[in-house]
Amino acid sequence: MADTYRCFWVEKDAAGDVQQSIIDRSVADLPSVESPSVRVAVRWTSLNYKDALAATGHPGIVRHFPHVPGIDVIGEVIDSDDPQFATGQTVIVTGHELGTSHHGGWAQQIHVPASWIVPLPQGLTPREAIILGTAGFTAAQCVQSLQHHGVEPDSGKVVVTGASGGVASIAIQILSRLGYDVVAVSGKPDQHSRLKRWGAAEVIDRNDFIDDSKRPLLSARYAGAIDTVGGTTLETLLRTTAYRGCIAACGLAGGHELQTTVYPFLLRGITLAGIDSAMCPMPQRLEIWNRLASDWKPAGLEDLANEISLDDLPAAVDSMLAGKHSGRSIVPM
């Protein structure tokens, strides 16, 4: 094993401007971690919206510089002081503090607490697991939340917003596989045929979906929703979700502010369920990954994948932040 590793390095220069570079670092400089810990050779990583923010030094994501983004890793154990993980074992590391306050997966090696590690479940190849990544894990949590709140396939239509993005595109496939009537909302007309191929029964343009009126309630049209956008999109969902429906909210690409009233909650009894993937408890984390490897495994994963290199990441980050990205960008390391 080489004594250096390549990584995507984010730092601030003397003027306080964020700089990106791809550099070689000494393995001895990997972050120290309390025992038990695991060192992993990264075989695959990916690009998520949080990674794009981290790569540009967003203060809500990155608190310390220099930094290595990357909240997703599929790799092989190099060494471990936890007996449950063996050298050469293929593992998944997503969420926790990886790629935020802890150096992440845009590197050829990581060193993390053993408590962050999930063994790769049977039924998933490493490539399939990285296409899923945090996006698939988040999508599955959203579906699980809808089910927990009584939204079943026979309850009515379920909306998925930001439909061509990583989380939403996987959510559509899972919901479709489970028999839900899926309505996809997207601002990208060129993606509509793909959305139907992934399982959407109906596709609505984002501009036709958003209602800017000030009415506290609109016609109740949907049994539930998975919202990856936030802002006015979520406001519209709150006013159009039917009695006892549920909205699983997991994104803010459309804005972090929310203007609403209590009427959807008091008069229709809807649930707004927040989805947090980073700190999901391990028992639920293992359950979801096992679901993704079996009865919830999307059939069209390869159709989502766009394989890029470490050198391609700056351009991919710009595309994602400009709202032009779709599917899942995966990076072999």
Side-chain angles (χ1 to χ4, degrees), residues 42 44-45 68-73 98-99 103-108 110 333:
V42 179
W44 292 95
T45 188
V68 179
I71 63 173
D72 287 345
V73 163
L98 188 71
H103 284 190
W106 289 7
Q108 291 175 326
I110 59 170
M333 297 296 290

Side-chain angles (χ1 to χ4, degrees), residues 37-61:
S37 65
V38 181
R39 189 160 60 102
V40 177
V42 179
R43 300 308 184 200
W44 292 95
T45 188
S46 72
L47 171 62
N48 299 276
Y49 189 71
K50 185 182 283 188
D51 297 321
L53 295 177
T56 52
H58 191 286
I61 304 298

Side-chain angles (χ1 to χ4, degrees), residues 88-140:
Q89 181 179 359
T90 302
V91 295
I92 300 169
V93 191
T94 63
H96 299 280
E97 297 171 7
L98 188 71
T100 56
S101 59
H102 188 91
H103 284 190
W106 289 7
Q108 291 175 326
Q109 290 192 33
I110 59 170
H111 185 213
V112 296
S115 60
W116 295 6
I117 304 286
V118 172
L120 181 73
Q122 289 187 350
L124 282 180
T125 67
R127 183 182 172 90
E128 289 171 334
I130 199 61
I131 297 172
L132 288 166
T134 290
F137 183 75
T138 303

Side-chain angles (χ1 to χ4, degrees), residues 22 28 36 53 110 122 131 134 170 174 179 183 196 198 212 249-250 254 270 280 290 297 312 318:
I22 297 172
L53 295 177
I110 59 170
Q122 289 187 350
I131 297 172
T134 290
I170 296 172
I174 297 172
V183 177
K196 289 189 174 180
W198 292 336
D212 291 324
C250 63
I270 73 166
C280 178
N290 285 325
K297 184 178 179 179
D312 295 328
D318 291 342

Side-chain angles (χ1 to χ4, degrees), residues 8 13 53 84 86 100 130 136 165 217 229 288 303 308:
F8 188 104
D13 61 20
L53 295 177
Q84 67 177 315
T100 56
I130 199 61
L217 289 173
V229 178
I288 287 175
D303 196 26
I308 63 175

Side-chain angles (χ1 to χ4, degrees), residues 162-306:
S164 63
V167 174
S169 55
I170 296 172
I172 290 169
Q173 292 196 41
I174 297 172
L175 289 167
S176 176
R177 175 167 182 169
L178 296 176
Y180 285 84
D181 185 1
V182 182
V183 177
V185 176
S186 173
K188 299 174 182 173
D190 62 323
Q191 295 294 314
H192 287 194
S193 61
R194 282 182 96 191
L195 296 172
K196 289 189 174 180
R197 186 165 71 244
W198 292 336
E202 180 183 356
V203 181
I204 301 176
D205 186 89
R206 178 178 59 210
N207 294 325
D208 296 330
F209 178 80
I210 294 173
D211 188 307
D212 291 324
S213 72
K214 299 302 180 184
R215 288 189 292 167
L217 289 173
L218 301 168
S219 234
R221 297 192 289 272
Y222 307 113
I226 294 174
D227 178 50
T228 71
V229 178
T232 55
T233 299
L234 180 53
E235 291 166 15
T236 300
L237 286 171
L238 286 167
R239 295 182 291 151
T240 54
T241 298
Y243 184 71
R244 291 289 176 177
C246 174
I247 302 168
C250 63
L252 47 65
H256 67 276
E257 294 185 352
L258 183 63
Q259 302 294 326
T260 188
T261 71
V262 298
Y263 290 115
F265 308 102
L266 300 185
L267 299 183
R268 289 184 179 164
I270 73 166
T271 297
L272 177 58
I275 304 299
D276 163 50
S277 295
M279 302 309 293
C280 178
M282 186 56 75
Q284 184 184 3
R285 190 178 291 271
L286 293 171
E287 176 190 354
I288 287 175
W289 275 111
N290 285 325
R291 283 282 183 88
L292 287 169
S294 54
D295 55 325
W296 286 14
K297 184 178 179 179
L301 281 178
E302 278 298 333
D303 196 26
L304 299 175
N306 173 38

